Amino acid sequence: MLQDKGLSESEEGFRAPAPAHGDQASAPEPALGGQGLTGTPLSSPQGQDAEQTIENIKVTLHEKELWKKFHEAGTEMIITKAGRSVLVGNQFTNLKFCLSLMVAGKAEPAMPGRLYVHPDSPATGAHWMRQLVSFQKLKLTNNHLDPFGHIILNSMHKYQPRLHIVKADENNAFGSKNTAFCTHVFPETSFISVTSYQNHKITQLKIENNPFAKGFRGSDDSDLRVARLQSKEYPVISKSIMRQRLVSTQLSAKPDVSPLHGAHQALQHYQYENGAHMQFAAAEGQDLPLNTFPGQRDSGLFYHCLKRRDSARHLDLPCKRSYLEASSSVGDDHYFRSPPPYDQQMLSPSYCSEVTPREACMYSGSGAEIAGVSAVDDLPPPPLSCNMWTSVAPYTSYSVQTMETVPYQPFPAHFTATTMMPRLPSVSTQSSQPPGNTHFSIYNQLSQAQARERGPSTSFPRDRGLPPVCERKPPSPHLNAAANEFLYSQSFSLSRESSLQYHSGMGTVENWTDG
DNA sequence: TCTACTTACACGTTTGAATGGT
DNA sequence: AACCATTCAAACGTGTAAGTAG
């Protein structure tokens, strides 16, 4: 569940937020332990303008500990052709986000980008503060032709969900010019999309925490159940366990077999967004725990606000090259290089705060989610591959490139060798977070002049009619009537973890497109 | 042969209508 | 008549296993 606290409504702007509601504790728990995002109260002075307010919005992850537990094991999400309830057998259940997909690796077909817009969007800040923001109906699919508006993912890839909060205005509920927005990223929500669980530990965690899987609980209940199904009075070893034990036996019996062999086979399917296959970063036989980076282990919500300087729009940044280009030329040894300190990446002016939308777009390839950002420049727009509400035109995107491989953790279920999961870049929580604030984000602001440069404002996609697959509901009449209320849209996106996009800002959303 | 994917299945939870009591 | 609690069945969400495809 997710809750934004800190959004409030006022005819003059924003007033001090209402105290945290007590309904959070009593709110119905999501299917799998009630994970989600919750917010903390925003301290927004009365009369503060929207751009100042939105950067102060704080969103926290609900059931963070549970998320971390999964994250440390290497979260996996089941995706099916028909669409499985969300990210995570529940971890994302009760989250209503907008998911958009970054374009897959070079060798992969472009994915239809999709954002999942919270069904309640747009709604006032008071509405979002009232309760946990749930993304319950979000579903994941691997069906590229999915007509239901589910989030389309590639199997065996790692994704990083992102939450976008977009300020709407009185005209079209989502604003036109100067629409503020912010993006929240919770590293512990990253996951690998799979069609069947690869990690037995994840399976067990899901079973333990998901009420719907209660039937599989107990001391290896699944095995007991199998025994019952086979009319046996003794438990039989399940297939996954048998496979795991078999491989283990084989490995122990054949010392000449590299323990990494199986892992390599598994990992060759895990790709970063840049299309580079994962490589091993650990020495042979070395088991690197997933939580090697203490910064990530306690990453919390990365939220940091930055403002882009107009004068920096055309800086020739060293990181301006295409992410795809960069990755394609990267040799294997690249993955053994140490990444630049995360705080340097994120806080270096040349890296994040002065990156133009166009440049940022380049970092992430042609990610549908940020495809529209080029509209703020006079450069030709990148190709769009979204069929929903995918493009957030004013979004200035920032990319944290993890060009190095990161440790994987063992997949006990199927892989007995040391496998390594792609990871978020190491995060220095001490240096990258504002004092007293565990949040991290990037804030970007587009000037009025820039907004004007984009040409005549067009109506927001909602006015052009969303495809029926879009899981949105029209704003309630009372919301439309409340002309002076600030309306917020909550959406969620997914990005390939190798190129995390942290963006927020203020500008038009006129180029959001249905694709 | 191996791996990922699809499908069907059983089990448990959730939801909402129907029913009965106050 | 209105409200509340209980019951029950259908819908839904799980993970698993078998079969299929590449």
Side-chain angles (χ1 to χ4, degrees):
Chain A
M1 289 185 137
L2 181 149
Q3 184 174 27
D4 277 299
K5 293 178 180 177
L7 295 176
S8 60
E9 52 189 300
S10 167
E11 292 186 354
E12 343 173 317
F14 291 88
R15 60 171 179 260
H21 296 283
D23 61 345
Q24 180 171 339
S26 59
E29 288 297 307
L32 196 180
Q35 289 168 287
L37 306 174
T38 57
T40 53
L42 156 74
S43 55
S44 174
Q46 189 171 5
Q48 201 171 27
D49 61 35
E51 79 175 82
Q52 290 172 310
T53 301
I54 199 162
E55 67 177 331
N56 289 331
I57 293 173
K58 295 174 183 176
V59 183
T60 59
L61 187 66
H62 188 54
E63 296 284 357
K64 184 179 177 179
E65 290 306 313
L66 187 55
W67 275 103
K68 285 173 66 178
K69 202 185 285 186
F70 276 87
H71 184 61
E72 288 169 0
T75 308
E76 295 177 2
M77 303 280 194
I78 293 289
I79 59 176
T80 66
K81 196 173 181 180
R84 273 261 166 157
S85 252
V86 195
L87 312 181
V88 233
N90 287 328
Q91 294 184 59
F92 277 48
T93 291
N94 286 9
L95 304 182
K96 295 170 187 170
F97 293 0
C98 257
L99 287 176
S100 70
L101 304 179
M102 306 307 295
V103 170
K106 251 183 176 176
E108 303 174 37
M111 298 290 292
R114 285 183 174 175
L115 279 171
Y116 182 87
V117 180
H118 193 287
D120 289 353
S121 297
T124 63
H127 173 85
W128 297 116
M129 291 173 63
R130 194 171 300 128
Q131 58 193 3
L132 295 177
V133 180
S134 162
F135 286 75
Q136 187 174 18
K137 295 180 179 178
L138 177 57
K139 289 189 175 183
L140 304 178
T141 182
N142 58 351
N143 182 9
H144 289 212
L145 302 176
D146 171 76
F148 303 108
H150 300 150
I151 300 302
I152 303 174
L153 303 181
N154 275 325
S155 179
M156 304 300 276
H157 287 73
K158 194 165 190 179
Y159 293 92
Q160 171 65 64
R162 294 181 294 178
L163 170 68
H164 308 296
I165 301 174
V166 181
K167 177 183 173 295
D169 66 14
E170 65 276 14
N171 293 324
N172 56 14
F174 274 101
S176 52
K177 294 183 178 180
N178 306 318
T179 292
F181 65 92
C182 62
T183 297
H184 301 259
V185 176
F186 300 90
E188 51 269 84
T189 61
S190 63
F191 65 92
I192 297 172
S193 57
V194 296
T195 55
S196 63
Y197 290 122
Q198 309 294 306
N199 188 342
H200 187 67
K201 190 175 179 181
I202 289 297
T203 305
Q204 291 306 312
L205 280 171
K206 294 281 178 83
I207 291 174
E208 290 171 10
N209 294 280
N210 188 350
F212 287 104
K214 204 172 184 177
F216 303 99
R217 287 182 190 173
S219 53
D220 256 349
D221 239 14
S222 56
D223 296 341
L224 293 172
R225 185 181 148 210
V226 171
R228 284 196 299 269
L229 290 174
Q230 300 184 1
S231 302
K232 296 179 179 178
E233 295 181 354
Y234 53 89
V236 298
I237 300 175
S238 62
K239 184 179 179 180
S240 60
I241 295 176
M242 174 64 84
R243 188 181 311 165
Q244 179 183 351
R245 293 174 184 173
L246 180 62
V247 177
S248 299
T249 303
Q250 290 174 340
L251 287 175
S252 60
K254 297 179 181 180
D256 56 313
V257 175
S258 167
L260 293 179
H261 175 71
H264 178 74
Q265 286 184 330
L267 287 176
Q268 65 182 345
H269 300 287
Y270 289 86
Q271 293 181 312
Y272 273 117
E273 177 180 1
N274 59 15
H277 286 269
M278 295 301 301
Q279 304 291 331
F280 296 108
E284 184 173 349
Q286 185 178 355
D287 189 352
L288 293 183
L290 182 62
N291 48 358
T292 300
F293 305 110
Q296 181 185 1
R297 196 184 315 169
D298 192 24
S299 53
L301 165 64
F302 294 92
Y303 189 90
H304 178 71
C305 291
L306 298 173
K307 289 192 177 181
R308 174 176 155 271
R309 294 205 306 266
D310 291 343
S311 58
R313 289 181 60 202
H314 302 293
L315 286 178
D316 186 15
L317 303 174
C319 51
K320 196 174 177 177
R321 70 185 187 278
S322 164
Y323 192 30
L324 291 175
E325 289 175 9
S327 61
S328 62
S329 59
V330 172
D332 291 353
D333 58 337
H334 165 83
Y335 295 97
F336 292 88
R337 289 207 304 262
S338 298
Y342 184 76
D343 50 355
Q344 283 184 20
Q345 292 179 353
M346 296 307 297
L347 298 180
S348 168
S350 65
Y351 188 80
C352 54
S353 64
E354 298 179 356
V355 177
T356 67
R358 170 64 177 177
E359 293 157 357
C361 184
M362 295 173 71
Y363 299 154
S364 57
S366 53
E369 179 188 19
I370 49 98
V373 298
S374 65
V376 301
D377 280 352
D378 50 0
L379 297 171
L384 296 176
S385 60
C386 42
N387 55 2
M388 288 186 66
W389 247 34
T390 54
S391 300
V392 185
Y395 281 19
T396 298
S397 302
Y398 300 92
S399 164
V400 181
Q401 300 185 26
T402 8
M403 299 301 290
E404 79 292 346
T405 39
V406 286
Y408 278 65
Q409 81 152 21
F411 279 7
H414 292 176
F415 319 117
T416 56
T418 302
T419 57
M420 300 163 69
M421 304 276 291
R423 289 173 47 83
L424 289 162
S426 176
V427 176
S428 172
T429 55
Q430 293 175 343
S431 57
S432 63
Q433 295 172 357
N437 186 356
T438 59
H439 298 160
F440 182 84
S441 78
I442 290 176
Y443 181 82
N444 177 57
Q445 179 179 6
L446 301 177
S447 66
Q448 297 262 0
Q450 284 178 291
R452 282 192 295 271
E453 287 174 5
R454 294 174 207 127
S457 175
T458 57
S459 61
F460 202 62
R462 56 171 290 102
D463 294 328
R464 284 180 263 155
L466 291 167
V469 295
C470 184
E471 277 199 77
R472 297 182 65 249
K473 62 185 181 185
S476 60
H478 83 274
L479 289 180
N480 283 334
N484 290 322
E485 290 184 357
F486 287 100
L487 303 177
Y488 283 92
S489 166
Q490 305 247 3
S491 65
F492 210 73
S493 68
L494 287 178
S495 65
R496 300 293 295 277
E497 195 175 51
S498 59
S499 180
L500 294 178
Q501 303 279 322
Y502 301 91
H503 51 225
S504 65
M506 188 170 177
T508 72
V509 291
E510 61 202 39
N511 291 293
W512 286 36
T513 175
D514 299 345

